[in-house]
Amino acid sequence: MSRRRTFVSTGTLAAAALALAGCGSLVPSPGSAPAGAASGASRASTPPPIDRSSNRLASAPRGYRGGERGGGPAGCLADLGETGARFDPLPDTYAGPGCHTLDTVRLSALSGDDGLFGVSNLGPVKCETAKAFTEWARFGVDRAARQILGSPLARIETMGSYACRNVAGTARRSAHARAEAIDVSGFVLEDGRRIALLRDWSGGTAAEREFLRIVHRSACKRFGTVLGPEYNAAHRDHFHLEGTGPRFCR
C-alpha cells in the first residue's frame, strides 16, 4: 500500500504545540523498544483487507494473527478495528527533525461493553498507542465508572496528542512529536457528571478519587509511560499516556 508523504506548516505546528503546553516536564522516556520477535505461530503472508466503512476486519486468511508482534501497520489497523473503535487511518507526515506522524489514526469513538462513547480534542495517534488507549478506555475506565460511580462513560476529554516539540527544559523530542502520547484531562459520565483531574484528584468525593486512582493504575498496565498529578505540578491536570514500551508509572 503506497503512502502519501505530506508536510505540515510551521503555523500548524505552533498551534499544536500551544494546545499541548499543559504537558510540561516529562521523565526521560525509555528508548523506543523494538517491536519484538515474531512468535512461532504461523501467519499469512498477506494481511486481510480492512473494511473502511466499518473499520472492521473484512476477512482473515487462515493463520493470520493481526497486530501481534510482526503483524505490522496493517495488522495493527485490523486489531484496532476489532475493538469496535471508530477511526480513520491518516497519511504519513514529516514536520521536521524528530517530528512525524507515521502509521497514525484519528479516533472518533471508542467502544464500551454496551455501546460507543466519545473522545474529544484528539489528533493523530500512532496505531499501537491508539489500540492501548481503546482497551484502557473500555476495560479500565468505562467499567470502573459503572462499578464505582454507578454510571457508564459518555466521553473521555483529552488535551490532545501530536505536537512537534521537545520535552520541557530539554533538547530531547517529546513522545508527542511522534504522536505516541495522549494527555487525558477528564471523564464525562452518561448521568452528566464530569470528573476532572485538576479538581477531583484531591478535591473530589471519595468515590471520584478512588475512580481516578483506579483508572491511573489501569493505564500503567497498558502504556509504557504514565504520568499523573502525583508526578509533578506540570501533570496536576492530566494523565500523560505514552507508548507501549518499558514501564514507568508515576
Side-chain angles (χ1 to χ4, degrees):
M1 179 175 68
S2 63
R3 296 184 180 278
R4 292 189 294 121
R5 308 286 178 178
T6 61
F7 293 81
V8 296
S9 68
T10 301
T12 301
L13 297 177
L18 288 174
L20 278 166
C23 190
S25 310
L26 303 184
V27 298
S29 59
S32 299
S39 69
S42 63
R43 291 177 173 81
S45 60
T46 303
I50 303 296
D51 179 355
R52 301 292 181 182
S53 64
S54 64
N55 296 329
R56 290 187 176 276
L57 193 63
S59 61
R62 184 181 300 275
Y64 180 73
R65 292 181 175 268
E68 290 183 357
R69 294 185 184 277
C76 182
L77 288 177
D79 282 355
L80 183 59
E82 286 297 298
T83 70
R86 297 292 178 262
F87 64 91
D88 292 309
L90 298 176
D92 290 348
T93 69
Y94 294 88
C99 292
H100 53 71
T101 62
L102 306 181
D103 304 321
T104 62
V105 300
R106 187 182 302 277
L107 290 165
S108 57
L110 308 174
S111 181
D113 289 338
D114 296 327
L116 296 174
F117 48 86
V119 58
S120 65
N121 196 39
L122 196 57
V125 179
K126 194 168 183 68
C127 182
E128 290 293 345
T129 303
K131 183 172 177 289
F133 185 69
T134 61
E135 292 170 345
W136 171 71
R138 178 174 185 176
F139 302 115
V141 181
D142 185 41
R143 291 186 180 179
R146 293 167 186 266
Q147 294 170 11
I148 299 171
L149 301 176
S151 175
L153 185 66
R155 184 174 71 255
I156 294 179
E157 297 182 332
T158 84
M159 299 167 69
S161 51
Y162 172 72
C164 182
R165 63 178 181 80
N166 293 342
V167 174
T170 77
R172 180 170 51 84
R173 287 299 193 194
S174 165
H176 288 289
R178 303 182 301 276
E180 293 178 356
I182 300 171
D183 290 342
V184 172
S185 58
F187 309 90
V188 178
L189 308 183
E190 281 192 1
D191 64 10
R193 281 178 289 171
R194 179 175 178 269
I195 314 301
L197 269 79
L198 181 61
R199 180 189 64 219
D200 298 319
W201 181 264
S202 298
T205 66
E208 290 167 347
R209 295 195 305 271
E210 179 187 5
F211 165 76
L212 289 174
R213 282 155 178 79
I214 284 178
V215 299
H216 177 267
R217 290 197 295 270
S218 177
C220 292
K221 298 176 181 179
R222 291 173 169 82
F223 295 93
T225 297
V226 177
L227 305 176
E230 294 184 358
Y231 176 60
N232 63 12
H235 295 83
R236 66 188 181 279
D237 58 355
H238 68 279
F239 293 142
H240 171 87
L241 311 176
E242 176 184 330
T244 57
R247 299 287 191 262
F248 183 90
C249 177
R250 293 291 186 274

